[in-house]
Amino acid sequence: MSSFYLTTPIYYASGEPHIGHAYTTILADVIARYRRRAGQDVLFLTGTDEHGQKIQEAAAEQGMSPLELCDLMAGRFEEAWEELGISHDRFIRTTEAEHRAVVAALLERLRDNGLIYEAEYAGWYSVGQERYFTEKEIGPGRVDPIAGGPVRRIREKNWFFRMSRFRQRLIRHIEDNPEWIVPVGRRNEVLGFLDQPLADLSISRPRARIHWGIPLPWDDSQVTYVWVDALTNYLTASGAIDPAAPKGERGFGDLRPSRWPADVHLMGKDILTTHAVYWPTLLMGADLPLPRRILAHGWWVVGDTKMSKSLGNVVDPIGLRERFGADAVRWYLMREMSTGQDASYAPERFLARYDELANVLGNLAHRALSMVRRYRGGCVPGAAAGGLARETEAALAAYRRGLEGYRLHEGFAAAMNLARGANGFVEAREPWALARDPERRGELDRTLATLVRTLAVLAAMFEPVAPTRARKLAARLGLDAVPLFAELDALRVGGLSVTVGTPLFPRAEPVPPTRGADSC
């Protein structure tokens, strides 16, 4: 069995989960579930980023210790992911003892390789992003270019990583591996960034200013830069570094079995540079292989404005789940955003996507199962399920191309189109008319068997995005579980005992408008 390791970014533990977090994590979950359906051994990692100045300040404002705040917020994220059906295999926290030890081991390897030095730095610092920006990046308005937050001029001594040494090597890797960064527009952004000289990376902050962090193993007056700390979580979870090994044998490379390198690092486009420049150069410096792919998705916006807590236009995914169910939220997010592009949240679009589930897939299931019960007492005929074979094969091929090419909206469009085609098949075959003609009994049996088999295929196709309803559909078909893709060819539905039940997707109530300004 082949393995597959994918990661989300770990989320900063200073705020509540919102739809941006939910989209990234659901996208990763859908990919993980699809890969499991395809028979792969998956490690799906997510978690919380728990060090740095923002945590330190947010905790002080709330009268808590940093760790108390992190414990609270890590719990909130884990609860949210449970409610949204996230099937992660590992939830990592950067305050874990193992992770702290792995960060120290990685830093020591970089220092042993002659890539760390101490120097004074003067520049513009954003607390919101916990990073420095150049004069060119902040522009005349002197705000951070990512979120528009304030920056301030800082001069201090830091330890630096010789990132500049790896600029040409990184450019060659990107050019030699055109699908390493997807979509292609993001790849071009990174190459554009690398057109300019690459500065060395400050990997520490003075403890006198930021005490909440992992001390450098050789200088406890400095703590590790939060991005270096956070990115290293991918190695910690993979098992690539054994912090208990003697120095010089830190479990790097092939010294220890691990899941590294990651098959996919998944993140929003705003943190692409840290993942596609900082992270690979750190790995190069530590003599470790690079991740196999970096997938940077777009932003959810309201009107023309990115969702932002400060603007009050953030959509609460848990509120939507409580009204419509987790599967409806998951379906909307996967169907509405072309992976890699921005998408605009609109309540009417949410309802349109929900109606698609109810009126196409839900309607097909209800009418097909009702006819098996009405005409054959709930037992699926043993006739060959010959109809829709060509359409099913084509839909599965398009679905798999979409999911494996990270064009999930295309894959799920193919699944929904198969459900539409099956509804059209019902209208064309008119089972109710066949049932009135004893001489056409065989035709009716083949029609019903075809519909049940098609529903079983649809359950497999929808399980990654709508796992709860897919399992419910499989149970109503009389199946023990949702079939794996490898099981579909041999699937025989004759003799299954079906149940109808209530609608898979009940009637929807209107979605309340998004809070915020006229961008709604």
Side-chain angles (χ1 to χ4, degrees), residues 145-158:
I146 295 176
V151 294
R152 57 192 172 106
R153 190 79 175 170
I154 284 181
R155 180 183 295 274
E156 61 190 17
K157 277 196 172 181
N158 295 157

Side-chain angles (χ1 to χ4, degrees), residues 339-354:
T339 313
Q341 307 301 315
D342 290 349
S344 179
Y345 173 80
E348 60 272 17
R349 292 298 303 160
F350 186 97
L351 277 179
R353 290 304 186 192
Y354 185 87

Side-chain angles (χ1 to χ4, degrees), residues 394-414:
L396 275 169
Y399 169 86
R400 300 194 73 161
R401 282 195 303 272
L403 271 288
E404 291 177 13
Y406 304 102
R407 300 181 304 277
L408 279 73
H409 59 292
E410 294 180 8
F412 291 123

Side-chain angles (χ1 to χ4, degrees), residues 90-422:
R90 173 84 156 89
F91 187 98
I92 194 168
R93 299 179 57 184
T94 56
T95 47
E96 294 174 11
E98 180 189 6
H99 174 72
R100 293 169 66 92
V102 169
V103 170
L106 177 67
L107 292 172
E108 285 183 336
R109 168 59 70 91
L110 294 171
R111 191 171 184 234
D112 290 345
N113 285 351
L115 297 170
I116 304 295
Y117 66 93
E118 188 178 25
E120 187 176 78
Y121 184 86
W124 294 99
Y125 185 74
S126 164
V127 173
Q129 303 302 319
E130 303 215 26
R131 59 180 281 194
Y132 295 109
F133 291 102
T134 65
E135 195 84 36
K136 180 180 178 181
E137 286 175 319
I138 65 169
R142 292 190 173 172
V143 295
D144 86 60
I146 295 176
V151 294
R152 57 192 172 106
R153 190 79 175 170
I154 284 181
R155 180 183 295 274
E156 61 190 17
K157 277 196 172 181
N158 295 157
W159 290 89
F160 286 79
F161 164 60
R162 297 185 189 277
M163 187 165 66
S164 57
R165 286 192 182 180
F166 299 94
R167 174 175 169 269
Q168 287 300 330
R169 182 175 164 187
L170 180 57
I171 290 172
R172 282 197 304 273
H173 181 80
I174 296 171
E175 291 178 342
D176 292 346
N177 299 274
E179 294 191 353
W180 185 60
I181 301 172
V182 290
V184 66
R186 306 283 178 251
R187 174 179 178 270
N188 294 337
E189 287 174 19
V190 175
L191 286 173
F193 178 85
L194 292 169
D195 274 345
Q196 59 190 325
L198 187 60
D200 288 342
L201 178 65
S202 170
I203 62 158
S204 73
R205 301 290 184 264
R207 208 165 182 175
R209 180 164 65 85
I210 305 174
H211 63 80
W212 184 241
I214 300 175
L216 296 188
W218 62 87
D219 182 358
D220 65 4
S221 72
Q222 299 267 322
V223 297
T224 306
Y225 172 37
V226 70
W227 264 111
V228 175
D229 170 0
L231 290 163
T232 305
N233 93 90
Y234 305 134
L235 288 177
T236 303
S238 77
I241 296 179
D242 181 2
K247 189 175 181 180
E249 296 182 3
R250 290 288 185 183
F252 286 79
D254 59 1
L255 295 177
R256 180 184 183 186
S258 79
R259 300 295 287 263
W260 190 258
D263 289 276
V264 178
H265 280 329
L266 178 63
M267 80 288 305
K269 64 181 181 178
D270 51 333
I271 54 173
L272 176 60
T273 301
T274 53
H275 283 81
V277 179
Y278 295 7
W279 183 225
T281 56
L282 287 164
L283 292 167
M284 290 173 179
D287 306 313
L288 285 167
L290 304 191
R292 294 190 175 98
R293 179 160 294 173
I294 293 172
L295 173 57
H297 65 73
W299 286 336
W300 281 94
V301 300
V302 177
D304 296 323
T305 308
K306 181 189 176 187
M307 287 188 186
S308 165
K309 287 186 293 182
S310 61
L311 294 177
N313 66 351
V314 172
V315 176
D316 175 15
I318 304 306
L320 287 173
R321 181 203 68 82
E322 290 170 351
R323 293 171 63 85
F324 300 96
D327 287 358
V329 177
R330 293 166 64 98
W331 176 253
Y332 171 76
L333 295 177
M334 295 302 103
R335 273 288 268 148
E336 199 70 10
M337 179 181 275
S338 299
T339 313
Q341 307 301 315
D342 290 349
S344 179
Y345 173 80
E348 60 272 17
R349 292 298 303 160
F350 186 97
L351 277 179
R353 290 304 186 192
Y354 185 87
D355 287 346
E356 182 178 48
L357 286 172
N359 297 335
V360 180
L361 178 62
N363 181 55
L364 173 67
H366 189 78
R367 68 196 308 201
L369 296 176
S370 295
M371 288 187 290
V372 174
R373 182 182 62 182
R374 182 180 307 121
Y375 302 135
R376 294 296 179 260
C379 183
V380 181
L388 293 173
R390 202 173 319 152
E391 295 87 344
T392 300
E393 183 179 357
L396 275 169
Y399 169 86
R400 300 194 73 161
R401 282 195 303 272
L403 271 288
E404 291 177 13
Y406 304 102
R407 300 181 304 277
L408 279 73
H409 59 292
E410 294 180 8
F412 291 123
M416 188 57 76
N417 285 339
L418 176 60
R420 285 195 179 90

